[in-house]
Amino acid sequence: MSRSSNKKPVGFATHITAGGIAGACEALVCQPLDTIKVRMQLSKSGRAPGTKPRGVFATASYIVRRETPLALYKGLGAVLSGIVPKMAIRFASFEAYKGWLADKTTGKTSVGGIFIAGLGAGTTEAVLVVNPMEVVKIRLQAQQHSLADPLDTPRYRNAGHAVYTIIREEGFATLYRGVTLTALRQATNQGANFTAYQEIKKLAHKFQPDLVELPSYQHMFIGLISGAMGPFSNAPIDTIKTRLQKATAAPGVSAFQRIFAIASDMWKQEGFRSFYKGITPRVLRVAPGQAIVFAVYERVSNLMEKITTTREDDGYSE
């Protein structure tokens, strides 16, 4: 994602390292907001007439009061174990698709091509990494046990135990429950995310022609804007997916029937607003998360490019 067309393409090892470090930083900072989002999406509060759904601060306070502050990091193990391959696949596949869609003469990719590359990257990461990781993460986050009480034993002790228990009791296919919705969510997320990031980055360079590379705070600001676009476009998909992945499958019921039943029940019992439950913590998590990801990714990949260039071409500095 470098500005100069004269530079060598960033290697796959750079995508793995830069993407993994960026993803780990994002997870450590933003996991509490993701836990709050999941609890809000799973909550049935607000169903009774005259009552309102529990908000962001009320949900956070409820979790901390009943389960200790560490409960906000439930599911972090599942996230960290999947974040390195997820980010490596995201950036590597995006650059690959972008290269395939580039004009053979100029080497440049159109806005439409960037959007399609983002769709492809989101779909690829969803199928290979995100869906299994999220099934495990949601199961861990949905457990409302107190971490301060050793006698309050949860069903899933950690990410590894959750994977083992899910496969043993419900089968391997359970890890791919909701994969269509996850792929649709990730595709629209990354399509909007990469397109907005690339176009705003071009605009920033246009107004600052003397800068070879943008400073980190500008990468963070651009990532913040681009990261906020996805959640607003696909919040209903994410809420239905969360409820689908948390529930156990009923025998003889297809995935489409379960999705339709969940959406229908939400509409009848909780109304239109229920499809946007958790949108505030999701935006507060995803937007700053993308700001961190892009800033760290750009910085680490640039450093790795410089180190590689110095080693391979030490005598050609200008």
Side-chain angles (χ1 to χ4, degrees):
M1 296 173 65
S2 179
R3 184 188 179 196
S4 176
S5 59
N6 295 323
K7 288 184 179 180
K8 293 181 180 180
V10 178
F12 188 72
T14 301
H15 291 302
I16 293 175
T17 306
I21 293 171
C25 291
E26 177 205 12
L28 290 169
V29 173
C30 301
Q31 181 65 12
L33 287 166
D34 190 68
T35 300
I36 294 167
K37 180 213 75 169
V38 168
R39 289 294 183 87
M40 288 179 71
Q41 290 177 332
L42 295 175
S43 173
K44 302 298 172 67
S45 64
R47 282 193 169 193
T51 62
K52 292 182 178 181
R54 195 179 288 123
V56 177
F57 294 108
T59 301
S61 176
Y62 183 78
I63 293 170
V64 170
R65 188 171 62 252
R66 292 191 68 228
E67 306 168 46
T68 78
L70 285 176
L72 293 170
Y73 282 90
K74 284 180 178 179
L76 180 62
V79 175
L80 287 175
S81 63
I83 205 75
V84 173
K86 171 186 171 182
M87 289 299 174
I89 289 167
R90 175 183 296 180
F91 285 103
S93 61
F94 171 75
E95 292 293 343
Y97 298 143
K98 181 184 168 188
W100 294 340
L101 293 166
D103 185 281
K104 302 304 179 185
T105 306
T106 63
K108 294 181 179 180
T109 309
S110 66
V111 176
I114 290 172
F115 182 72
I116 294 171
L119 291 178
T123 303
T124 304
E125 71 176 12
V127 174
L128 295 181
V129 179
V130 176
N131 204 84
M133 180 184 74
E134 290 217 340
V135 170
V136 174
K137 175 181 70 72
I138 287 168
R139 295 292 182 92
L140 290 168
Q141 289 174 322
Q143 297 184 129
Q144 300 188 22
H145 65 287
S146 173
L147 297 178
D149 185 358
L151 299 178
D152 191 358
T153 307
R155 184 181 182 189
Y156 308 116
R157 294 192 297 271
N158 49 52
H161 181 251
V163 171
Y164 172 76
T165 304
I166 290 168
I167 293 175
R168 186 189 63 187
E169 296 180 359
E170 303 174 55
F172 181 80
T174 302
L175 295 175
Y176 279 89
R177 182 175 298 157
V179 66
T180 303
L181 293 176
T182 303
L184 186 59
R185 184 199 66 179
Q186 292 302 113
T188 51
N189 265 351
Q190 300 315 317
N193 189 19
F194 277 114
T195 304
Y197 183 82
Q198 296 265 317
E199 291 306 302
I200 298 172
K201 185 180 174 182
K202 287 179 187 175
L203 193 63
H205 275 300
K206 184 178 179 181
F207 284 103
Q208 303 168 102
D210 295 334
L211 288 179
V212 177
E213 297 292 345
L214 298 177
S216 292
Y217 77 89
Q218 291 189 24
H219 287 303
M220 289 190 73
F221 183 70
I222 297 169
L224 187 74
I225 296 172
S226 66
M229 294 186 175
F232 285 111
S233 66
N234 56 30
I237 296 171
D238 188 56
T239 304
I240 296 170
K241 176 201 69 68
T242 298
R243 296 198 179 191
L244 178 69
Q245 291 176 330
K246 193 263 181 183
T248 54
V253 181
S254 68
F256 179 78
Q257 288 173 320
R258 291 199 299 270
I259 292 169
F260 182 80
I262 290 170
S264 178
D265 182 65
M266 289 172 63
W267 180 269
K268 292 175 183 176
Q269 299 294 330
E270 302 170 65
F272 175 77
R273 293 180 63 183
S274 65
F275 290 95
Y276 284 85
K277 275 187 172 181
I279 185 64
T280 301
R282 188 178 173 214
V283 171
L284 290 175
R285 186 224 183 282
V286 173
Q290 289 307 300
I292 294 168
V293 164
F294 278 116
V296 174
Y297 176 84
E298 295 277 9
R299 176 53 65 90
V300 174
S301 61
N302 284 337
L303 285 173
M304 291 184 70
E305 282 184 86
K306 288 176 182 177
I307 292 170
T308 304
T309 302
T310 301
R311 286 177 178 175
E312 293 182 355
D313 198 23
D314 200 20
Y316 292 90
S317 59
E318 294 180 357

